[in-house]
Amino acid sequence: MTAIDAVTSKLDKSGKIFVAGHRGLVGSAIVRRLRTVGYNNLILRSHTELDLTNQSAVKTFFSLEKPQYVILAAAKVGGIHANSTYPADFITINLQIQTNVIDSAYRYGTKKLLFLGSSCIYPKHAPQPIPESSLLTGPLEPTNEWYAIAKIAGIKMCQAYRIQHNWDAISAMPTNLYGPNDNFHPENSHVLPALMRRFHEAKVTGGKEVVVWGSGAALREFLHVDDLADSVVFLLENYSDLGHVNVGSGKEVSIKELAEMVKEVVGFEGEIVWDKSKPDGTPRKLMDCSTIVKMGWEPKISLRDGLVGTYEWYVGNVVKQ
């Protein structure tokens, strides 16, 4: 099948779709989106039911189920502390998952596979906004290079199978994500859920202030996970080519603006104290998403609306536990 054929022959809505990693932030949103638009023949397996690092188990699964489409959203993820403490786990587990799923999908007749990566694949000092062409043009951010190297290998594996086997494997690289099913752990969550948790706990305990690291000047981009899920379905239905595709909101917000917005959404009435002795991190990180925008896709959920929905989910699902 040529790349053009793959795009013009739309997905079969009755075809089996295997969503690997369906319980995570990304995978759960993709399952919601697929069901909303009429893809109901979904194959879902928890880690207990199918260990994706086990090559024999993955081969057996694919030989029996033979999914027509595969969305690879499964990964070992974590923040700076986790990446620094367990670098062998981050590179090995992610390489195992990707290699097992991609190879078995090809060998057992999957028509199309979409691999999800991360914006951390790009060099630490990539031009801003970051175009897809920045890949492998400079050194990575050292704090998460183990994860990034694995994700880069996944992109290259999809490209290699397309080149050698003319197989329809594509890759999408999302920016910073947030939304329902995010990780709100007090130590190893990302900046947005961490802020939400701290403001909520300060509100509940009657705290007068919340201390936030840095000056608040750093600029970041955030995409609601439901928008990412929408883009995944869009790419499956409309894209087939060698290059990976950036997916982001195209909008920057300073950490200071983000903190003020989260504070307002949560309803915390105390003060924000900026600890300027702590680092800001990278001054700016924005994805160039012109490739997917030119194809006709754009995000729909504003940051404020997304924060409101995420906070409602947090209160209903995390706080009550």
Side-chain angles (χ1 to χ4, degrees):
M1 178 183 285
T2 67
I4 293 172
D5 290 336
V7 173
T8 54
S9 60
K10 292 287 188 183
L11 271 63
D12 175 6
K13 289 213 168 178
S14 64
K16 283 185 178 181
I17 303 178
F18 173 43
V19 182
H22 75 283
R23 286 185 166 178
L25 170 68
V26 173
S28 60
I30 291 170
V31 168
R32 287 195 300 272
R33 184 61 188 163
L34 286 169
R35 286 174 171 157
T36 297
V37 296
Y39 294 99
N40 290 307
N41 194 359
L42 306 184
I43 310 171
L44 310 174
R45 294 289 186 275
S46 68
H47 176 72
T48 306
E49 294 167 322
L50 176 61
D51 179 0
L52 296 176
T53 68
N54 183 324
Q55 185 181 50
S56 175
V58 173
K59 280 185 174 180
T60 300
F61 166 78
F62 273 91
S63 70
L64 294 171
E65 292 290 348
K66 292 186 169 60
Q68 285 181 258
Y69 312 106
V70 172
I71 300 168
L72 182 41
K76 178 174 177 60
V77 298
I80 292 173
H81 176 73
N83 270 267
S84 302
T85 310
Y86 308 108
D89 290 354
F90 274 87
I91 193 164
T92 304
I93 291 171
N94 284 302
L95 285 173
Q96 287 171 331
I97 290 170
Q98 294 160 196
T99 303
N100 292 343
V101 172
I102 293 170
D103 186 68
S104 285
Y106 164 70
R107 294 189 184 282
Y108 290 101
T110 293
K111 287 183 179 178
K112 186 166 192 170
L113 178 142
L114 185 145
F115 170 69
L116 279 160
S118 161
S119 59
C120 74
I121 62 166
Y122 292 114
K124 182 175 183 176
H125 300 297
Q128 301 289 332
I130 308 171
E132 287 94 347
S133 59
S134 292
L135 183 66
L136 296 175
T137 58
L140 299 165
E141 166 57 54
T143 55
N144 60 12
E145 66 178 334
W146 321 105
Y147 177 75
I149 287 287
K151 287 296 180 181
I152 292 168
I155 296 171
K156 291 300 175 185
M157 194 170 175
C158 288
Q159 291 176 344
Y161 275 64
R162 178 178 284 272
I163 292 166
Q164 185 173 333
H165 301 300
N166 201 26
W167 185 53
D168 196 7
I170 61 174
S171 301
M173 300 299 120
T175 188
N176 300 309
L177 301 169
Y178 73 99
N181 285 316
D182 207 340
N183 172 20
F184 290 87
H185 190 278
E187 271 100 51
N188 60 18
S189 56
H190 292 118
V191 60
L192 195 155
L195 284 173
M196 190 167 283
R197 180 178 185 130
R198 290 168 68 196
F199 282 125
H200 174 80
E201 289 177 349
K203 180 180 84 167
V204 170
T205 60
K208 302 296 184 190
E209 63 180 40
V210 168
V211 178
V212 183
W213 279 21
S215 67
L219 296 170
R220 292 293 181 269
E221 175 186 24
F222 295 94
L223 181 72
H224 195 282
V225 72
D226 286 347
D227 274 332
L228 172 67
D230 182 55
S231 78
V232 165
V233 176
F234 177 86
L235 289 169
L236 274 173
E237 293 180 337
N238 296 284
Y239 182 74
S240 178
D241 214 335
L242 192 66
H244 63 281
V245 180
N246 286 345
V247 183
S249 65
K251 295 176 181 175
E252 290 176 297
V253 61
S254 71
I255 297 299
K256 185 175 189 298
E257 290 170 316
L258 177 68
E260 294 286 356
M261 201 180 297
V262 174
K263 174 188 169 182
E264 180 205 341
V265 166
V266 170
F268 172 64
E269 295 181 352
E271 298 296 317
I272 300 174
V273 177
W274 296 95
D275 182 356
K276 295 181 182 178
S277 70
K278 297 294 193 294
D280 276 337
T282 305
R284 186 184 187 206
K285 191 176 180 186
L286 176 68
M287 304 269 270
D288 179 347
C289 297
S290 55
T291 299
I292 193 169
V293 170
K294 285 173 185 172
M295 282 188 262
W297 180 86
E298 60 182 24
K300 301 174 181 65
I301 302 169
S302 72
L303 181 57
R304 195 184 188 288
D305 287 348
L307 289 175
V308 169
T310 302
Y311 183 57
E312 287 174 357
W313 183 89
Y314 169 71
V315 171
N317 294 273
V318 179
V319 176
K320 286 185 177 179
Q321 288 179 356

